[in-house]
């Protein structure tokens, strides 16, 4: 990390992650052990028996844990003005890209819908424990999930992922859970 600000944010996030995990699981922060899987996903080694996903954006840290699901993914993004149209080529298959552009080009709510699309895709990719290596274009987000906060499911990689997404305090947060 080249930026001193980013290094400071991440250092604070690491401590906060341990604290949050300890509070949720009932263990001591010093006992929390997180390792990195070969594909880059975090794994909660201690306490054992929990699926884990982490997301950071600036000074926001999100920890997702599940005792019952075999895999979980979470992502957070601040809703902000960006040129989202060129990014659709990178993250969407042709039909999904065309439908999104047709529905949101030049319309109010396009930024929020784009970040909902992005965070839902990333949450599912994190739940695969392979991240973007799994193939972001293979995660097709149903249009009904893009218009507002809500829940549903996404079929990707031959699996079902239950998803939830919300826009709160200027950020979009999305969660994907692979049912057990």
């Amino acid at each position: 990390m080249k930026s001193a600000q980013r290094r400071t944010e991440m250092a604070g996030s690491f401590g906060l992650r341990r604290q949050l995990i300890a509070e949720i699981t009932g263990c001591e922060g010093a006992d929390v052990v997180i390792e990195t899987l070969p594909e880059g996903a975090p794994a909660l080694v201690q306490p054992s028996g929990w699926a884990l996903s982490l997301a950071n954006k600036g000074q926001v840290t999100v920890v997702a844990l599940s005792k019952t699901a075999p895999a979980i993914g979470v992502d957070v993004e601040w809703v902000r003005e960006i040129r989202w149209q060129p990014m659709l080529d990178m993250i969407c298959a042709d039909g999904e890209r065309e439908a999104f552009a047709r529905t949101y080009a030049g319309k109010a709510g396009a930024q929020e819908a784009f970040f909902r699309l992005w965070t839902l895709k990333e949450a599912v990719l994190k739940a695969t424990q392979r991240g973007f290596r799994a193939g972001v274009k293979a995660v097709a987000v149903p249009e009904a999930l893009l218009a507002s906060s809500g829940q549903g499911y996404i079929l990707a990689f031959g699996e079902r992922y239950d998803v939830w997404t919300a826009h709160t305090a200027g950020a979009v947060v999305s969660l994907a859970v692979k049912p057990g």
Side-chain angles (χ1 to χ4, degrees):
M1 287 179 264
K2 295 179 183 178
S3 160
Q5 178 181 350
R6 183 72 177 133
R7 283 193 301 274
T8 301
E9 289 171 354
M10 288 303 292
S13 174
F14 292 146
L16 182 58
R17 290 172 182 181
R18 282 183 146 42
Q19 178 185 345
L20 291 170
I21 291 168
E23 287 178 18
I24 293 168
T25 62
C27 73
E28 295 294 322
D31 295 334
V32 173
V33 178
I34 302 170
E35 291 185 354
T36 303
L37 298 174
E39 295 280 352
L44 186 57
V45 176
Q46 194 64 20
S48 62
W50 293 84
L52 168 71
S53 184
L54 304 166
N56 292 85
K57 187 51 89 175
Q59 295 184 359
V60 172
T61 296
V62 181
V63 173
L65 290 165
S66 177
K67 194 82 164 142
T68 59
I72 192 167
V74 67
D75 193 39
V76 60
E77 287 287 340
W78 293 108
V79 176
R80 61 196 182 277
E81 290 293 322
I82 63 166
R83 290 187 57 234
W84 53 264
Q85 296 88 338
M87 296 179 76
L88 292 179
D89 288 334
M90 180 179 68
I91 66 168
C92 297
D94 293 343
E96 184 180 33
R97 180 189 70 242
E98 292 162 5
F100 188 92
R102 184 173 51 253
T103 303
Y104 291 102
K107 295 189 177 140
Q111 299 295 336
E112 180 182 337
F114 174 77
F115 285 110
R116 193 176 309 285
L117 174 75
W118 180 276
T119 60
L120 282 164
K121 284 178 176 273
E122 188 159 347
V124 169
L125 291 168
K126 285 180 176 183
T128 70
Q129 299 183 334
R130 295 183 58 219
F132 276 83
R133 290 179 189 97
V136 68
K137 290 183 181 184
V139 180
V141 177
E143 285 187 59
L145 290 171
L146 299 177
S148 63
S149 297
Q151 61 187 24
Y153 67 92
I154 293 174
L155 300 174
F157 313 108
E159 304 279 353
R160 175 187 166 128
Y161 296 88
D162 293 330
V163 296
W164 170 87
T165 183
H167 182 201
T168 182
V172 172
V173 179
S174 295
L175 176 74
V177 175
K178 182 178 173 184

